[in-house]
Amino acid sequence: MNNLLLPRGFRRYKAIIILQKINITGHIGIKSIQILAYADYVAIVGRNKNALKDTLVNIESKARKTGLRINDNKTKYTEVTKAASNSDHLHCGKYDSEHVKEFNYLGSQLNQTNSTSSEIQARILSGNRYYYAYGKLMKSRALNGSSKLKIYKSLIRPIVTYGCEAWTLTN
């Protein structure tokens, strides 16, 4: 039997169908599991490990029926808690997910203490890199002030403020 290579978009479509069957409406305040998905990136947010394991097993079984598989090497988990976590791995069926203190999801840094300070520092650092990359343009006398402002507003400021809507405000 020959293997059929599916276009990437078709695999995405199949994944969306699977997740729609699993994810019911509502928010994490009234559910024990919330599934967040964008393209090939899926985050499962749960109130406890058992609900997380059940959802992962459910997704895996439905994915296997449609010919999709979960990449075990890219599957990681973290616990968002004030208490120190002593877990190394999350065992779920045939999957053994590594415990990490922080990870990137859709370009934003998430960590187990739910602190945004490292994310903000990384955004400022990225903005500085881009500013200095365009330093010759920004200091050039050939460009007027409004052109430099357009460069700043369209290239540098979005890098610094990406994801800021989800940052937790503190004193």
Side-chain angles (χ1 to χ4, degrees):
M1 183 173 159
N2 294 333
N3 289 336
L4 177 64
L5 182 62
L6 298 173
R8 193 167 180 81
F10 188 70
R11 288 190 300 253
R12 243 182 243 140
Y13 174 75
K14 288 169 81 175
I16 290 169
I17 299 299
I18 292 168
L19 293 174
Q20 282 178 341
K21 289 179 181 176
I22 293 172
N23 197 12
I24 59 173
T25 59
H27 57 81
I28 195 66
I30 59 173
K31 293 181 358 183
S32 63
I33 285 291
Q34 183 76 34
I35 299 173
L36 312 168
Y38 180 80
D40 292 352
Y41 301 100
V42 177
I44 305 169
V45 180
R47 291 179 184 253
N48 58 52
K49 284 186 182 181
N50 290 332
L52 187 69
K53 287 179 183 182
D54 292 343
T55 304
L56 186 59
V57 167
N58 194 3
I59 289 173
E60 196 273 332
S61 68
K62 289 184 186 319
R64 192 175 348 104
K65 290 176 186 175
T66 61
L68 297 175
R69 62 182 177 81
I70 296 172
N71 189 336
D72 195 26
N73 295 331
K74 293 183 180 179
T75 303
K76 311 233 182 291
Y77 90 100
T78 189
E79 293 178 90
V80 179
T81 179
K82 291 180 181 177
S85 176
N86 57 3
S87 300
D88 285 335
H89 294 278
L90 178 69
H91 303 287
C92 179
K94 66 178 187 175
Y95 296 103
D96 189 24
S97 302
E98 177 188 357
H99 180 264
V100 294
K101 293 184 178 185
E102 65 181 26
F103 64 95
N104 283 332
Y105 180 70
L106 299 178
S108 293
Q109 260 184 348
L110 304 172
N111 58 39
Q112 66 184 24
T113 59
N114 205 20
S115 169
T116 56
S117 60
S118 62
E119 167 72 7
I120 293 169
Q121 290 299 319
R123 291 273 151 220
I124 291 170
L125 185 63
S126 293
N128 284 337
R129 278 194 207 121
Y130 275 83
Y131 175 79
Y132 287 109
Y134 293 108
K136 287 185 180 180
L137 280 175
M138 299 303 271
K139 294 176 184 174
S140 172
R141 293 180 185 220
L143 291 177
N144 61 15
S146 68
S147 297
K148 292 176 185 178
L149 187 61
K150 286 179 183 178
I151 290 172
Y152 168 76
K153 285 183 176 180
S154 62
L155 297 174
I156 298 169
R157 188 166 61 183
I159 291 167
V160 176
T161 59
Y162 176 81
C164 68
E165 304 91 2
W167 295 346
T168 305
L169 298 177
T170 60
N171 290 339

